[in-house]
Amino acid sequence: MRTARSRDRYRRPLKNSMIALFTVSCALAVTSCSGASDTPKTSPTPSAAQPTKSADPTETAKKDAIATYQSYWKEVEKLYADRSGKGAKLKQYAASAALKNAEQDAKRAHGRGLLLMGQVTLQDSTVTKVVTHGKLDYAVISSCLDISKWKTVKADTKKAVTLPSNRLTKYVIQSTVERWPEGWRVTRDEPQDRRC
């Protein structure tokens, strides 16, 4: 027969085990509760969690370079057609050698009493090289330049001037367009003396 003392001896370890289990349970509950309060109750929306995709810089550079090149030729048309040269805004689209050469050639034609009237057509403009990660972003464009509708006339009478019949009126031209702080600029425009 067990005495009261022996019963207490069996109850104490059981009581101590229950207290320890209760303490661990409370500690786990507090930890899980405090962890839950630190996290947001709602998960972020997919658009907030993922950055939006930006446009491909290479494709953007190609489009910008070709658009600048087309605008450049529209201003070249105006420059050659206006004896004063004031109607053209070529500096918005050209710099360096391309600007200098266009201005000198137009001045030479005007000095001989000639204007070039009509329009230039660019065909098959293709970016053959593009760099968007160097010191200076640039693109190289190859085009077929059609000047068959660009007529040379006398400035005073607007009479057409007869030109050699064997001259190239459609030829390949290679151009470099660079991104300057002010925007894209055509810096080189080099006829390739090759029909297209």
Side-chain angles (χ1 to χ4, degrees), residues 11 32 82 92 118 130 157 160 166:
R11 282 189 192 159
S32 65
D82 179 12
Q92 290 181 7
V130 65
T157 63
N166 63 345

Side-chain angles (χ1 to χ4, degrees), residues 39-44:
T39 57
K41 294 194 187 230
T42 57
S43 62

Side-chain angles (χ1 to χ4, degrees), residues 92-140:
Q92 290 181 7
Y93 304 101
S96 196
L99 177 63
K100 182 181 174 184
N101 292 341
E103 288 178 336
Q104 285 179 346
D105 289 348
K107 188 175 181 180
R108 194 176 303 117
H110 296 158
R112 288 186 284 171
L114 302 174
L115 298 176
L116 278 83
M117 310 293 289
Q119 69 182 60
V120 172
T121 306
L122 290 168
Q123 299 171 341
D124 304 322
S125 293
T126 307
V127 176
T128 58
K129 182 177 183 180
V130 65
V131 174
T132 59
H133 55 274
K135 288 182 180 178
L136 182 69
D137 293 355
Y138 70 94
V140 177

Side-chain angles (χ1 to χ4, degrees), residues 26-190:
C26 286
L28 288 173
V30 169
T31 304
S32 65
C33 288
S34 65
S37 65
D38 291 344
T39 57
K41 294 194 187 230
T42 57
S43 62
T45 60
S47 62
Q50 298 172 356
T52 55
K53 285 187 178 180
S54 60
D56 179 6
T58 300
E59 289 305 312
T60 301
K62 287 179 181 180
K63 288 176 187 172
D64 291 346
I66 287 178
T68 298
Y69 191 59
Q70 290 170 340
S71 297
Y72 160 79
W73 273 104
K74 292 298 173 198
E75 296 306 315
V76 168
E77 288 173 5
K78 292 176 190 175
L79 178 68
Y80 278 82
D82 179 12
R83 206 168 191 175
S84 71
K86 293 178 181 174
K89 295 181 175 73
L90 195 59
K91 288 182 181 178
Q92 290 181 7
Y93 304 101
S96 196
L99 177 63
K100 182 181 174 184
N101 292 341
E103 288 178 336
Q104 285 179 346
D105 289 348
K107 188 175 181 180
R108 194 176 303 117
H110 296 158
R112 288 186 284 171
L114 302 174
L115 298 176
L116 278 83
M117 310 293 289
Q119 69 182 60
V120 172
T121 306
L122 290 168
Q123 299 171 341
D124 304 322
S125 293
T126 307
V127 176
T128 58
K129 182 177 183 180
V130 65
V131 174
T132 59
H133 55 274
K135 288 182 180 178
L136 182 69
D137 293 355
Y138 70 94
V140 177
I141 300 172
S142 178
S143 297
C144 178
L145 188 69
D146 183 352
I147 59 169
S148 60
K149 294 179 183 169
W150 209 20
K151 305 297 180 191
T152 304
V153 299
K154 293 190 176 183
D156 52 354
T157 63
K158 303 295 188 281
K159 277 185 83 173
V161 174
T162 304
L163 297 171
S165 59
N166 63 345
R167 72 186 181 103
L168 284 177
T169 57
K170 285 179 79 171
Y171 53 90
V172 176
I173 189 163
Q174 187 169 310
S175 309
T176 302
V177 187
E178 299 175 352
R179 191 199 315 255
W180 287 37
E182 305 84 11
W184 287 90
R185 298 289 185 271
V186 178
T187 55
R188 280 197 302 277
D189 213 20
E190 300 165 332

